[in-house]
Amino acid sequence: MPTPPATPYYITTPIYYVNDQPHIGHCYTTIVADAVARFMRLAGHDVFFLTGTDEHGQKVEKSAASRGITPQELADENARHFVTALGYVGATNDDFIRTTEPRHEKQVQRVLSTLIESGDFYLDTFEGWYDEGQEEYVTENQARERDFTAFNGKPLVKATEENYFFRLTKYWDRVREWIEAHPEFVQPDARRNEVLGRLRDESRDVPISRTNFTWGIPVPGNEKHVTYVWIDALLNYMTALGLVDAEAADMDASRHHYWNASGPVVHFIGKEILWFHAVIWPALIMALRDAGRTDLHLPDAVYAHSFWIREGQKMSKTLGNFIDLATIEAYCENFSRDALRWFLLTQGPLGATDADFSHSRFVEVYNADLANGFGNAASRVTNMIVKYFDGQCPDDRGDPTNGDYNWPEITGKMIATATGQMEQLDVAGALRSGLELSNRVDQYINDTKPFKLAKDPDGMPEVGRILYHCVETLRIAAILMLPAIPDASQEFLTRIGIDPTSLSSSSLTWGGVQPGAAITKGEGLFPRADVDAPPPEVSASGS
RNA sequence: GCCGAUAUAGCUCAGCUGGUCUAGAGCGGCGGAUUCAUAACCCGCAGGUCCCUGGUUCGAGUCCAGGUAUCGGCACCA
């Protein structure tokens, strides 16, 4: 069967701000995008999965100064923390872009030149009430509320600043119309409504350069201005592909196909940065198109997930209850990386409401889904094959059905369901579909009782048939769950004679397990966890 | 303040355009059966004022109004 050319699939996380320490929020976004990327690769797509770090801005400049190091040193140091975090959670990103890299900076400058020339970026003076203590502008309304007094009690001053502005007003209606016409562009729906609501207000142009600090990309031709971090940051999605100007970035065109009309472009983000991705970003692309770059088009989906809270409480700096890297590491060590990924992916805040990271819930889900669910099913099936067939995979004698069970049909439907769910970015749903297949195997064993049939030598052919149905179904379940639990899934596949490094879209059809293959039992994939045990200890050295 | 959303079993949630909802799933809990398996799995059990009040309708978790509660977005902070 000739394989059709692989459809590209481009998926991104936000680039993470290096002034922060990595925490569960970053890890969650990364894991979700990673799971989608892994699934789409299995489904036969030509996937490009991008993440990286956002390294410019006043905060970085200040933090570095306060520590007596250069901003670049600070960025280097913290970018390493994010790379470490990617390793913890098992991210399979194809590239890691940093906004201080020349390939990025050169292309951003190219965008600036283009849009300054087209007139959508223009120089103007901004006048407003400035709080000299806080070093920030306050809006006219806020100023009035505070009686024109700064935080430190001194009066606010009327300050003027020269800025480049982006003519957002020109694109305001077009962006709104685009979002209205493309319901899948901003997801989930509740977030889309928020954006549309705000787009019904009056539009304003937005400043896109700063002059009060220097750690940023200089505006070409007017170097006392540095590019506002958000413009800088958003463009990473294109610069990593060399889409703006491959030559200037010393890149080639080999990644350009990831962002054209033939495959989806999906941005996974947290809800706090929705506005930039849902409005500023498409407007920016429209501006580039108006400036002649008609080859560039809008992304297909911006998916804004909500936040994790911890044991019912919001995570905050003042409470100091962030689930930081040390805690994440502790969970990985106590339960396994797969366990963490499974919990985050199936219980996470993909919808519009926040989700709770509660330890007791974590253990419940771990036991129910992984230990008692897939792990136990894998264990009982491999054990019976070892016990009754000396570890040699039996065959189903050409009949993959048994009474009401039509396994090619059952698994085929579930594969289709999971694929559809994943395409809709319903990651939790897709994973549950895989788990459901494993549950069906448990039910099947209880229905057909191969362990009873095995007591009579004449029953062995039937036992073999049943067990083949079981391993084969579990193979498919393992592949469907692989995006969440790659380690255990690959371990299981290896035990049943499947090479996990050579999976392809054809792996998702009935009949992958070879009769006669050596099957091993091995240790339990997910040992049952003690519900009453306290949460894992976090070593004090963690930062 | 402005705009928006949600309120359903102990927990997390499904219930689209009103009538197989005398209200469902998963988890937890309880009981039973079973032994291939990780005290696992399988089967059965949940009697919840569907937030409150009023309204529309032959008929409302499902529509409308008001109320209450919770939450989110809007602050040039990336």
Side-chain angles (χ1 to χ4, degrees), chain A residues 313-422:
Chain A
Q313 279 198 306
K314 245 177 205 178
M315 292 189 287
S316 70
K317 280 181 186 146
T318 45
L319 284 173
N321 63 342
F322 269 95
I323 298 177
D324 56 13
L325 259 196
T327 308
I328 287 164
E329 196 182 3
Y331 269 88
C332 288
E333 277 171 11
N334 267 260
F335 295 92
S336 79
R337 184 169 76 176
D338 284 353
L340 180 80
R341 289 174 59 105
W342 181 264
F343 178 75
L344 295 185
L345 288 168
T346 60
Q347 307 297 313
L350 262 195
T353 50
D354 294 347
D356 191 13
F357 192 108
S358 111
H359 177 72
S360 60
R361 182 78 178 156
F362 185 99
V363 177
E364 274 178 20
V365 170
Y366 171 83
N367 279 338
D369 294 348
L370 299 179
N372 302 346
F374 177 66
N376 185 54
S379 171
R380 63 199 304 209
V381 169
T382 51
N383 184 64
M384 278 192 276
I385 292 175
V386 167
K387 192 166 174 179
Y388 303 141
F389 295 92
D390 212 19
Q392 268 215 321
C393 184
D395 72 79
D396 67 356
R397 309 164 80 81
D399 184 4
T401 70
N402 193 343
D404 291 339
Y405 293 92
N406 180 332
W407 288 108
E409 193 181 303
I410 293 168
T411 54
K413 274 185 182 166
M414 207 54 87
I415 291 163
T417 301
T419 304
Q421 285 165 320
M422 203 54 104

Side-chain angles (χ1 to χ4, degrees), chain A residues 419-488:
Chain A
T419 304
Q421 285 165 320
M422 203 54 104
E423 280 166 358
Q424 301 297 309
L425 305 178
D426 175 11
V427 181
L431 295 172
R432 297 228 141 259
S433 296
L435 181 65
E436 202 178 316
L437 228 34
S438 152
N439 293 341
R440 290 302 295 276
V441 169
D442 275 329
Q443 197 183 39
Y444 183 55
I445 294 171
N446 284 58
D447 275 4
T448 56
K449 301 184 174 53
F451 45 88
K452 253 188 176 167
L453 297 174
K455 288 177 176 156
D456 177 359
D458 292 346
M460 289 316 279
E462 183 61 9
V463 174
R465 268 170 33 77
I466 292 168
L467 290 180
Y468 182 84
H469 300 157
C470 291
V471 231
E472 175 56 10
T473 301
L474 284 181
R475 180 189 68 87
I476 292 169
I479 294 174
L480 289 180
M481 289 192 283
L482 188 146
I485 53 169
D487 298 335

Side-chain angles (χ1 to χ4, degrees), chain A residues 161-178:
Chain A
E161 189 177 328
E162 186 186 58
N163 287 127
Y164 279 91
F165 282 76
F166 173 36
R167 215 176 289 284
L168 182 60
T169 47
K170 180 177 164 189
Y171 299 98
W172 193 264
D173 290 335
R174 279 162 66 179
V175 170
R176 190 183 61 234
E177 285 157 16
W178 180 268

